[in-house]
Amino acid sequence: MDASIWSNELIELFIVIGNKRANDFWAGNLQKDEELHMDCSVEKRKNFITQKYKEGRFRKTLLASLTKEELNKALCAAVVKPDVLETMALLFSGADVMCATGDPEHSTPYLLAKKAGQSLQMEFLYHNKFSDFPQHDIYSEGRLNQESSQSTFLCDFLYQAPAGASKLSSEKKLLEETNKKWCVLEGGFLSYYENDKSTTPNGTININEVICLAVHKEDFCLNTGPIFTFEIYLPSERAFLFGAETSQVQRKWTEAIAKHFVPFVAENLTEADYDLIGQLYYKDCHALDQWRKGWFAMDKSNLRFCLPMQEGQEDRMHLRRLQELTISTVVQNGEKLDVLLLVEKGRTLYIHGHTKLDFTVWHTAIEKAAGTDGNALQDQQLGRNDVPIIVNSCIAFVTQYGLGYKNIYQKNGDPLHVSELLESFKKDARSFKLRAGKHQLEDVTGVLKSFLSDIDDALLTKELYPYWISALDTQDDKERIKKYGAFIRTLPGVNRATLAAIIEHLYRVQKCSEINHMSAHNLALVFSSCFFQTKGQTSEEVNVIEDLINNYVEIFEVKEDQVKQMDIENSFITKWKDTQVSQAGDLLIEVYVERKEPDCSIIIRISPVMEAEELTNDILAIKNIIPTKDDIWATFEVIENEELERPLHYTENVLEQVLRWSSLAEPGSAYLVVKRFLTIDTIKHYNERKALENIKEGVLKVKEEPSKILSGNKFQDRYCVLRDGYLLLYKDLKSSKPDKMFSLSSVKFYLGVKKKMKPPTSWGLTAYSEKHHWHLCCESSQTQTEWMANIFIAQHENDIWPPAGKERKRSITKNPKIGGLPLIPIQHDRNATQARERLRVQKQNSKGCGLVQSVTKVEMAP
């Protein structure tokens, strides 16, 4: 007998209590038909022991009527007496061994027993200090999963590293600090001991406090062999790492731990094959006003979650399809807080952790799951249309810069540059952007060809190869097209979407073959080996790809208005081939949201008939911005190196306005931005003033261009009045006749005054008419905003946004966004004038044939 464990007091305690007395208590209510027999199975014995000792189903019920408080009070009175059996009955009936005694110097029952000199009581209490026995009134058939987890009992040797030594640490440190420990999960506590003989744990974790559990599927090698690790994170910024010798043991422990701290409403999450599970703070579009707690689990590339606002219903985000994944820092209650933004197919989710440590774990896991994981097509980062972002980005770049490029796709890029671009996309396609000037067209086409050639399986799949080739035996075109359609429907979803996107692109390219010399046959010669991943090239393979390109409209059931839209876009290229807009750069416009910053930009396809209302709504939808009922958002054009900006009326044609930038000294500096403009209060104030004679009046400093000889080249005070659709400029308040009066309908007003005018203040407006410019300076930003708002409302006679109840314009396409590419600057005034004239003709023709909006398929910005 090990004397270090079996002390005299412990031996005496066993003698006093004895097996019979203990069994009289635990089986005091055991019925005859519930007794355990000699021939019972192992599973039945295990269930019986659990019911007897963990659930206390068969205990004596003499103390069942007592509350927890009464049991604790009785325990404190019993431990100062020699009757250990009474203490046993109270403790095993649910009294708390660590309950408060009311004595500040002897705060626990153990200390009370010590004070009274009751050594056997002390011994009994010591060995049960981590026990957690259920009360009589808690057993029922309808208990939730927390109660079953309370009864979970696990014990085994696990590898354990000290608190704080997590997988975030170096492998060397883990090798040095990880040791085998005897671990016991009981009563909601995970205790780890030096060995299975130890009675005092090295440490104890309250599972109820766990905020995150990480399960590492890959084994981790120590000197003793592989181990399968898991980590437990607490709100105290502590992390505990444990390791099992097999994945089965690892799973057994993690399942037991998760089922204890994850609530019943989110129990579905515990059934997933998760890598990470826990609680996070979140905000979504349903409630952006405050942070709420939700339960999340990482299951491969899916983020699954149960949110209180959804009444426990499980939802998920496919992380490889994220349109946006960004981390930002916000200040809350004076402290900096890291927040992760996830956007996927119109769903926006903000999350942050309890601590910096658990947030880092979640951020790292989500970032990894959202990235490229393998060489298969479905393992790539995907756009909104389920097409790999690398494919979308290359198509968008070539569409913008290469449709008019001779022998596009036949020219090879620099192998080193192509390899570097492929690596950049593989690292993080979502954040990598192709840029004109920085990246060469041949390199980008090389990336697309190399990517298709090197993925794990061919785009058209090697399994279907003989079927594609055999389809050529069908002489009837319609029957052959039907076969192609049937084959395409059997492709995996990502292959199907990617094939549709690339064939659409090649169809567009061959439509410009008069310029680029790339017929469907020439394109098929380039892409057949990429699509089939064959080393050589056969005429049959070329014929199949040529068939797919030529019959794109029929095979993919493309609507007539989509084809017409493509023809209109391509006509810009063919008609303007001698100008700097010959490559359709005018159709892809970089639009900013609220401010000009890289993270706020969206590249959007502009239809020849797109109006400002449609553009504004598309941008807000892409960014998942829902304007409040009191705010009106508008599209602004910003020109003259950001010195002037003007809100577009919702009916203004966007492309017509963009083409006018060609007359600017620096057209490349102009851009569009969508932001808040007016409020309901501003409109109410305008309507109240309109009832009076003057809508707006006040002194402004005015300068006219070209300046009059007598007035000189200086700003002069003028009393300005906005009335009846006119802006009147008086010499002073006493003047009865205005010096100048011009109609608001014939003048275009901009916020701001160019610096070269040397304005006397930092705020003002600039008014452009056909022959004259006026610069009007005011004393404050508020005054500037008031003048602009009132002039804008007056110019459009209060028609500043579509009437209530009218359907809001949106692009026909669900995805107007197309990539991360800037607009090619338009420069020649003569060419732009011709373009505007063509645009007006096309706009009229479009109305006649029912073409109203852009329907081109699009992609997420890389």
Side-chain angles (χ1 to χ4, degrees):
M1 184 178 291
D2 188 349
S4 65
I5 296 175
W6 292 93
S7 61
N8 292 333
E9 289 82 4
L10 183 57
I11 294 171
E12 186 180 352
L13 182 63
F14 268 79
I15 294 171
V16 169
I17 295 179
N19 188 59
K20 184 179 184 304
R21 292 191 182 94
N23 202 53
D24 284 345
F25 174 81
W26 288 110
N29 202 27
L30 180 65
Q31 303 300 314
K32 190 74 175 174
D33 58 346
E34 293 176 314
E35 290 181 357
L36 195 65
H37 301 288
M38 294 290 292
D39 57 348
C40 288
S41 64
V42 173
E43 188 64 29
K44 191 169 183 180
R45 288 176 181 276
K46 180 180 176 181
N47 290 337
F48 178 82
I49 292 170
T50 299
Q51 292 171 349
K52 181 177 179 181
Y53 296 109
K54 295 305 296 177
E55 296 174 3
R57 181 181 291 197
F58 314 124
R59 288 175 297 176
K60 285 184 177 179
T61 57
L62 297 175
L63 302 172
S65 60
L66 297 182
T67 64
K68 184 82 169 181
E69 186 178 352
E70 290 171 334
L71 285 170
N72 291 343
K73 190 174 181 179
L75 177 65
C76 292
V79 296
V80 298
K81 302 173 186 176
D83 190 354
V84 180
L85 294 176
E86 182 182 359
T87 300
M88 179 191 75
L90 289 165
L91 192 61
F92 291 173
S93 294
D96 186 357
V97 71
M98 300 298 286
C99 68
T101 63
D103 185 338
E105 293 185 10
H106 306 90
S107 56
T108 64
Y110 178 86
L111 294 176
L112 285 178
K114 185 177 181 180
K115 175 187 176 183
Q118 299 294 336
S119 59
L120 290 186
Q121 295 278 23
M122 291 169 60
E123 191 73 15
F124 180 79
L125 293 170
Y126 174 79
H127 287 289
N128 286 281
K129 64 181 177 180
F130 289 114
S131 299
D132 186 14
F133 300 103
Q135 288 180 257
H136 286 278
D137 62 346
I138 70 166
Y139 180 79
S140 69
E141 295 297 328
R143 295 294 290 172
L144 302 182
N145 72 322
Q146 271 81 5
E147 290 173 10
S148 62
S149 63
Q150 287 278 3
S151 64
T152 300
F153 177 81
L154 285 178
C155 60
D156 205 343
F157 279 105
L158 296 176
Y159 290 91
Q160 192 269 330
S166 70
K167 290 279 281 189
L168 299 174
S169 308
S170 67
E171 291 190 11
K172 184 178 179 182
K173 185 178 180 182
L174 282 170
L175 286 168
E176 293 172 350
E177 299 183 353
T178 303
N179 295 297
K180 260 190 176 182
K181 296 288 190 295
W182 177 251
C183 297
V184 178
L185 178 63
E186 182 180 18
F189 290 88
L190 173 57
S191 303
Y192 47 96
Y193 299 79
E194 194 63 35
N195 54 54
D196 57 344
K197 305 297 183 183
S198 302
T199 57
T200 304
N202 292 0
T204 300
I205 303 168
N206 185 346
I207 302 300
N208 283 318
E209 296 179 356
V210 174
I211 54 173
C212 179
L213 173 65
V215 184
H216 303 287
K217 302 297 175 59
E218 297 179 358
D219 59 345
F220 182 73
C221 289
L222 295 179
N223 295 331
T224 54
I227 63 170
F228 297 83
T229 59
F230 60 92
E231 292 174 90
I232 295 172
Y233 293 86
L234 302 180
S236 59
E237 291 270 15
R238 299 180 74 194
F240 297 84
L241 182 141
F242 294 89
E245 292 183 341
T246 67
S247 59
Q248 292 80 9
V249 173
Q250 176 203 48
R251 194 65 187 170
K252 181 174 68 173
W253 280 85
T254 54
E255 282 181 353
I257 292 169
K259 286 183 178 179
H260 186 93
F261 77 90
V262 177
F264 177 74
V265 292
E267 69 172 346
N268 286 344
L269 299 181
T270 65
E271 297 169 3
D273 186 21
Y274 53 81
D275 303 294
L276 198 58
I277 190 169
Q279 188 185 71
L280 291 168
Y281 291 93
Y282 78 94
K283 288 197 296 189
D284 64 1
C285 57
H286 298 296
L288 289 171
D289 55 329
Q290 60 179 320
W291 291 100
R292 292 177 168 82
K293 291 179 181 179
W295 292 91
F296 294 77
M298 285 284 302
D299 180 5
K300 298 182 179 64
S301 62
N302 291 304
L303 179 65
R304 302 171 59 174
F305 46 92
C306 290
L307 308 178
M309 295 294 288
Q310 298 174 339
E311 298 179 350
Q313 290 185 349
E314 184 187 320
D315 205 345
R316 68 179 62 195
M317 275 187 168
H318 193 299
L319 297 176
R320 290 208 188 100
R321 292 191 177 100
L322 288 182
Q323 299 159 243
E324 188 171 348
L325 176 61
T326 54
I327 185 172
S328 59
T329 302
V330 299
V331 177
Q332 182 171 297
N333 299 326
E335 294 185 4
K336 290 184 178 180
L337 192 69
D338 290 329
V339 175
L340 196 61
L341 167 64
L342 301 91
V343 180
E344 183 227 7
K345 289 192 175 182
R347 178 76 186 267
T348 300
L349 191 67
Y350 298 87
I351 58 175
H352 78 80
H354 290 256
T355 68
K356 288 185 178 180
L357 186 58
D358 77 299
F359 176 81
T360 301
V361 172
W362 280 101
H363 179 211
T364 303
I366 290 172
E367 202 168 47
K368 181 180 178 182
T372 300
D373 183 27
N375 204 39
L377 203 59
Q378 66 270 19
D379 292 334
Q380 311 304 306
Q381 289 176 307
L382 304 176
R384 289 166 67 102
N385 50 359
D386 282 350
V387 176
I389 293 173
I390 182 175
V391 174
N392 278 336
S393 298
C394 292
I395 288 175
F397 191 89
V398 175
T399 299
Q400 183 168 1
Y401 299 106
L403 291 183
Y405 188 81
K406 190 175 179 180
N407 297 325
I408 182 68
Y409 284 116
Q410 284 185 332
K411 295 182 179 180
N412 294 322
D414 184 307
L416 179 61
H417 293 165
V418 171
S419 178
E420 289 173 348
L421 286 174
L422 281 167
E423 188 60 34
S424 296
F425 276 116
K426 185 176 181 181
K427 186 177 180 181
D428 188 4
R430 190 175 293 105
S431 61
F432 181 68
K433 294 186 179 182
L434 294 169
R435 291 292 183 186
K438 182 178 180 181
H439 302 114
Q440 301 304 310
L441 195 58
E442 296 93 338
D443 297 335
V444 175
T445 59
V447 167
L448 181 59
K449 291 184 289 185
S450 296
F451 173 76
L452 294 173
S453 300
D454 296 338
I455 53 178
D456 281 351
D457 190 12
L459 178 63
L460 298 180
T461 70
K462 294 170 183 175
E463 182 183 0
L464 289 177
Y465 179 86
Y467 296 93
W468 291 107
I469 301 303
S470 65
L472 294 171
D473 296 333
T474 305
Q475 298 301 313
D476 184 87
D477 291 346
K478 290 185 178 179
E479 287 300 315
R480 191 169 67 256
I481 288 170
K482 280 184 180 179
K483 286 189 175 181
Y484 289 145
F487 300 157
I488 290 169
R489 286 191 290 275
T490 65
L491 291 172
V494 177
N495 293 57
R496 192 164 56 246
T498 304
L499 178 66
I502 296 176
I503 295 298
E504 177 197 8
H505 171 64
L506 299 181
Y507 179 78
R508 178 189 291 276
V509 172
Q510 62 87 32
K511 281 241 173 186
C512 301
S513 59
E514 291 182 6
I515 304 172
N516 57 40
H517 297 183
M518 292 303 294
S519 63
H521 180 72
N522 288 340
L523 289 167
L525 285 170
V526 174
F527 279 93
S528 60
S529 58
C530 301
F531 280 25
F532 287 110
Q533 286 190 353
T534 49
K535 292 181 180 179
Q537 189 179 67
T538 67
S539 59
E540 290 85 1
E541 293 167 5
V542 174
N543 290 338
V544 169
I545 304 306
E546 187 175 356
D547 250 0
L548 294 179
I549 297 172
N550 284 329
N551 297 289
Y552 161 72
V553 174
E554 292 78 15
I555 293 172
F556 292 93
E557 300 178 350
V558 181
K559 295 179 181 178
E560 183 182 357
D561 55 359
Q562 289 178 273
V563 179
K564 288 180 180 178
Q565 175 62 32
M566 190 181 294
D567 289 339
I568 289 174
E569 292 172 353
N570 285 349
S571 72
F572 283 101
I573 301 168
T574 57
K575 292 179 181 179
W576 296 350
K577 60 184 177 182
D578 295 326
T579 73
Q580 293 196 28
V581 293
S582 62
Q583 296 175 2
D586 54 295
L587 300 181
L588 305 180
I589 296 182
E590 189 164 21
V591 182
Y592 294 89
V593 183
E594 296 193 278
R595 57 192 177 276
K596 188 181 181 182
E597 292 181 3
D599 292 341
C600 300
S601 71
I602 298 171
I603 304 304
I604 196 163
R605 184 177 299 280
I606 302 296
S607 157
V609 293
M610 177 179 272
E611 295 177 352
E613 174 199 357
E614 181 184 334
L615 175 61
T616 303
N617 291 338
D618 281 344
I619 294 295
L620 294 177
I622 290 169
K623 279 293 187 180
N624 295 293
I625 297 173
I626 303 174
T628 65
K629 62 180 181 180
D630 294 332
D631 288 337
I632 293 177
W633 289 61
T635 297
F636 284 71
E637 63 159 331
V638 183
I639 62 173
E640 301 292 352
N641 292 308
E642 302 185 346
E643 291 183 333
L644 304 180
E645 63 177 54
R646 176 182 75 90
L648 303 185
H649 186 255
Y650 73 89
T651 61
E652 281 191 66
N653 182 281
V654 178
L655 192 56
E656 281 184 0
Q657 185 53 54
V658 170
L659 289 172
R660 291 192 180 100
W661 293 348
S662 61
S663 62
L664 300 173
E666 296 184 44
S669 69
Y671 61 88
L672 298 176
V673 60
V674 174
K675 58 183 180 178
R676 293 179 184 85
F677 175 38
L678 298 173
T679 65
I680 297 299
D681 289 340
T682 305
I683 299 170
K684 286 180 179 178
H685 180 72
Y686 170 87
N687 290 329
E688 291 169 359
R689 295 285 302 179
K690 189 177 179 182
L692 305 175
E693 186 176 357
N694 298 333
I695 296 170
K696 179 72 178 173
E697 55 188 316
V699 177
L700 299 176
K701 296 182 182 297
V702 181
K703 179 180 179 180
E704 182 180 355
E705 281 190 303
S707 59
K708 294 181 179 179
I709 297 176
L710 294 177
S711 63
N713 194 29
K714 296 181 179 179
F715 281 85
Q716 297 181 344
D717 287 348
R718 289 291 181 268
Y719 191 75
C720 302
V721 177
L722 185 62
R723 179 198 307 156
D724 299 329
Y726 288 87
L727 183 63
L728 299 92
L729 276 61
Y730 293 87
K731 187 173 183 179
D732 54 42
L733 182 59
K734 297 178 181 179
S735 300
S736 57
K737 186 177 180 181
D739 286 352
K740 186 70 63 178
M741 180 177 76
F742 43 85
S743 171
L744 298 179
S745 60
S746 63
V747 178
K748 192 178 287 186
F749 283 86
Y750 288 83
L751 280 162
V753 177
K754 289 187 285 187
K755 292 179 181 177
K756 70 177 184 180
M757 294 294 109
K758 298 180 179 179
T761 72
S762 301
W763 308 280
L765 307 177
T766 298
Y768 286 103
S769 71
E770 191 172 343
K771 296 182 180 180
H772 293 270
H773 300 167
W774 288 272
H775 309 283
L776 304 91
C777 289
C778 47
E779 295 300 324
S780 68
S781 173
Q782 182 179 349
T783 306
Q784 176 192 42
T785 303
E786 289 174 356
W787 272 104
M788 188 67 195
N790 283 284
I791 288 172
F792 184 84
I793 298 171
Q795 275 183 317
H796 303 290
E797 299 178 352
N798 226 355
D799 178 26
I800 56 172
W801 200 240
K806 180 182 176 182
E807 185 178 355
R808 299 178 68 192
K809 281 190 179 181
R810 286 285 311 278
S811 288
I812 293 175
T813 172
K814 294 180 180 178
N815 305 316
K817 190 176 177 183
I818 112 148
L821 312 174
L823 174 69
I824 296 177
I826 304 168
Q827 294 182 351
H828 301 296
D829 188 28
R830 177 178 59 82
N831 293 325
T833 304
Q834 294 172 358
R836 284 196 294 271
E837 186 59 35
R838 293 191 190 102
L839 181 62
R840 292 190 187 95
V841 173
Q842 288 173 342
K843 186 176 179 182
Q844 293 300 319
N845 293 339
S846 297
K847 289 179 179 177
C849 66
L851 175 64
V852 292
Q853 293 163 324
S854 172
V855 292
T856 306
K857 290 185 180 177
V858 297
E859 68 189 18
M860 188 185 78

